[in-house]
């Protein structure tokens, strides 16, 4: 993980069946997922070409009874988790899990934006070894290349995330009757986009880079998942799909730009 405030530094799949998740996602992406957890918590690392890109958190029956469901969640780095939570709540967001420390990992909290999209805020523990590999690495197979927020209140989301994380939203692409697609920038880095979507739940979707979008779509279907959208072209000449895995988690894949 890196410690660059405002960056996506980790991606996590919450899944009731980690073995089924391993079989499915290793078929779709250039990933290796641990067959068994390496610690006391049932958490399994996901590795791609440059190193670890995320993890699989096994949902226990107690978590499911408490309302947890299969899904992908992103971690965003902040300098001070507690201060960020205070600012988040003042801006209309909600704390879903209070800040706590994990030795050797860092301090983090689970939260939701004012429209309900969940994400983590995290301050990683100081890294004493070699610099970690990036998890968000556009163009690198098996790494997330795009972070997209579909929201019921685009203007409100832009105000919220710009204030909380310092992201900028100065670039737009007209989508006709659907309104503008607004790009997210963190400094000079284009992280993804925000789109107004009234017909779907407000949520983040993370697109992983693949070499062949048609092959990825076929792997989704062969593995028991569902292609919800696409393959569809991107403005930069690439192609994307949005899919749902067999346990219900929604994710994306992108080929090219």
């Amino acid at each position: 993980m890196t410690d660059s405030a405002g960056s996506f530094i980790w991606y996590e799949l919450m899944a009731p069946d980690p073995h089924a998740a391993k079989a499915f996602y290793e078929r779709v992406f250039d990933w290796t997922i641990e067959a068994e957890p390496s610690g006391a918590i049932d958490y399994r690392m996901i590795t791609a070409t440059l190193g670890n890109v995320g993890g699989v958190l096994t949902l226990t029956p107690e978590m499911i009874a408490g309302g947890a469901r299969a899904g992908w969640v992103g971690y965003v780095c902040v300098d001070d988790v507690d201060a960020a939570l205070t600012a988040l709540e003042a801006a209309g967001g909600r704390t879903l899990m209070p800040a706590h420390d994990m030795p050797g990992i860092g301090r983090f909290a689970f939260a939701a934006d004012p429209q309900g999209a969940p994400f983590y805020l995290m301050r990683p523990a100081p890294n004493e070894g070699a610099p970690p590999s990036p998890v968000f690495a556009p163009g690198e197979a098996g790494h997330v290349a795009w972070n997209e927020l579909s929201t019921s209140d685009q203007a409100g989301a832009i105000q919220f995330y710009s204030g909380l994380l310092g992201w900028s939203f100065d670039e737009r692409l007209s989508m006709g009757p659907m309104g503008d697609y607004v790009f997210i920038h963190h400094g000079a880095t284009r992280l993804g986009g925000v789109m107004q979507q009234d017909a779907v739940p407000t949520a983040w979707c993370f697109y992983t880079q693949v070499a062949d979008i048609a092959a990825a779509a076929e792997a989704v279907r062969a593995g028991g998942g569902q292609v919800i959208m696409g393959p569809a072209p991107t403005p930069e000449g690439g192609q994307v799909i949005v899919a749902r895995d067999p346990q219900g988690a929604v994710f994306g894949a992108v080929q090219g730009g």
Side-chain angles (χ1 to χ4, degrees):
M1 296 183 182
T2 70
D3 60 355
S4 179
S7 299
F8 278 94
I9 55 171
W10 199 246
Y11 299 96
E12 183 174 279
L13 172 65
M14 299 182 292
D17 186 342
H19 297 288
K22 172 180 171 67
F24 176 79
Y25 284 102
E26 287 187 345
R27 177 194 290 263
V28 177
F29 295 134
D30 186 16
W31 285 351
T32 299
I33 301 176
E34 287 182 311
E36 299 296 336
S38 54
I41 299 174
D42 195 339
Y43 199 90
R44 307 170 191 223
M45 293 297 180
I46 303 170
T47 304
T49 51
L50 298 181
N52 290 338
V53 294
V56 180
L57 173 65
T58 300
L59 293 178
T60 65
E62 292 76 19
M63 292 176 183
I64 295 171
R69 296 292 181 268
W72 282 96
V73 186
Y75 284 66
V76 182
C77 181
V78 293
D79 289 326
D80 186 324
V81 173
D82 299 271
L85 280 179
T86 298
L88 175 142
E89 292 179 351
R94 291 186 299 131
T95 298
L96 304 178
M97 182 185 74
H100 66 282
D101 295 302
M102 184 171 290
I105 301 299
R107 186 167 179 79
F108 57 97
F110 193 34
D113 70 19
Q115 289 73 46
F119 62 100
Y120 280 95
L121 295 165
M122 183 171 188
R123 174 63 183 177
N127 188 342
E128 299 177 358
S133 300
V135 299
F136 174 69
E140 193 69 38
H143 288 252
V144 171
W146 198 252
N147 307 280
E148 185 173 82
L149 176 64
S150 296
T151 178
S152 58
D153 182 359
Q154 187 184 59
I158 289 171
Q159 181 178 10
F160 172 80
Y161 286 102
S162 61
L164 181 69
L165 301 173
W167 292 346
S168 59
F169 301 85
D170 302 323
E171 185 183 2
R172 294 171 176 261
L173 176 68
S174 175
M175 300 176 65
M178 295 178 62
D180 288 346
Y181 189 92
V182 183
F183 295 97
I184 306 168
H185 282 85
H186 173 233
T189 302
R190 186 193 269 183
L191 294 178
V194 182
M195 61 191 304
Q196 179 80 29
Q197 287 271 38
D198 300 320
V200 299
T202 292
W204 284 95
C205 183
F206 309 109
Y207 292 76
T208 296
Q209 192 82 39
V210 296
D212 187 327
I213 200 70
E218 179 54 33
V220 167
R221 298 185 186 99
Q226 175 189 6
V227 176
I228 302 170
M229 184 275 291
T234 69
E236 289 78 17
Q239 288 189 302
V240 298
I241 61 169
V242 176
R244 182 178 289 110
D245 74 20
Q247 299 185 68
V250 174
F251 64 97
V254 56
Q255 173 191 333

